[in-house]
Amino acid sequence: GGAHLVQHPVNLGQGAAIQTGVEYARAQPGAKYFVTFDADGQHQVKDVLAMVERLRTEPLDIVVGTRFGRDRDDSGDDQVPLIKRIVLKTVVLLSPRTRRLGLTDAHNGLRVFNRTVAEGLNLRMNGMSHASEFVALMDSEGWRVGEQPVDILYTEYSMSKGQSLLNGVNILSDGLVGKRLP
């Protein structure tokens, strides 16, 4: 019980953090379900619980959150700011793999997966481009992928943490570099 904190002495980036965390978690006896999420408070426990339940009851290896799976709320507001929506949808359009897997939001940090995925996870790209690498693994490993509409809480803190438009461009360019990795 309780939380285990595993830290890198220096910040190695999100990809390295996820890889280290999953390696630590899969070494724990009896670990069956694994969850990754962004640390800026935008993801919610209710969505994690719904995703774990799907993993338990459906023939899936991994469930990925999507910000595009539900209608605008009653006030007419979309939970994703317009410019960010455009960048995210462009990332999907430019990725045949993402489309082939049926994903609408490939760079959503909320993912729930089983032991098969945890054992096969080997992220080598440390920056934000780990998300593209994760999608490439889903494709090459043939993992059974599902998508779950999730609510995002955009707080001032999360908006200040890497929500800039340039981030979308960085993800794209890192992804192109990643294709050249051996």
Side-chain angles (χ1 to χ4, degrees):
H4 297 220
L5 177 63
V6 186
Q7 265 181 310
H8 289 142
V10 292
N11 186 346
L12 297 177
Q14 199 174 357
I18 288 173
Q19 185 64 37
T20 298
V22 170
E23 284 174 11
Y24 178 82
R26 72 190 183 199
Q28 306 310 303
K32 282 172 74 171
Y33 303 111
F34 302 78
V35 182
T36 71
F37 56 90
D38 297 335
D40 55 13
Q42 57 174 289
H43 296 125
Q44 298 182 66
V45 173
K46 68 176 175 63
D47 290 325
V48 173
L49 294 174
M51 290 162 79
V52 169
E53 184 59 24
R54 285 191 62 195
L55 212 57
R56 287 181 55 236
T57 57
E58 296 178 33
L60 294 169
D61 296 307
I62 180 166
V63 181
V64 183
T66 176
R67 289 164 277 203
F68 301 113
R70 58 175 53 128
D71 296 331
R72 294 158 184 268
D73 64 26
D74 295 338
S75 66
D77 286 339
D78 195 291
Q79 53 179 356
V80 184
L82 176 64
I83 197 74
K84 186 163 182 65
R85 208 158 63 236
I86 291 167
V87 168
L88 290 167
K89 293 204 169 190
T90 302
V91 169
V92 170
L93 283 174
L94 293 174
S95 167
R97 272 199 185 106
T98 303
R99 292 201 308 277
R100 189 159 62 238
L101 290 166
L103 296 174
T104 58
D105 188 9
H107 291 87
N108 196 306
L110 183 55
R111 308 176 191 93
V112 176
F113 46 91
N114 63 15
R115 184 111 210 162
T116 303
V117 173
E119 296 286 357
L121 198 64
N122 182 23
L123 299 174
R124 295 175 302 162
M125 300 182 77
N126 290 345
M128 289 305 295
S129 54
H130 79 275
S132 304
E133 195 182 4
F134 212 136
V135 169
L137 282 170
M138 288 180 213
D139 190 36
S140 64
E141 298 295 316
W143 295 328
R144 298 165 301 171
V145 181
E147 206 172 43
Q148 176 82 9
V150 297
D151 282 322
I152 299 292
L153 293 176
Y154 282 114
T155 61
E156 274 184 41
Y157 177 69
S158 73
M159 291 297 273
S160 71
K161 293 282 289 178
Q163 297 291 346
S164 76
L165 211 143
L166 281 173
N167 220 7
V169 178
N170 289 341
I171 289 167
L172 288 176
S173 60
D174 283 357
L176 297 174
V177 170
K179 287 190 176 66
R180 298 194 188 91
L181 281 179

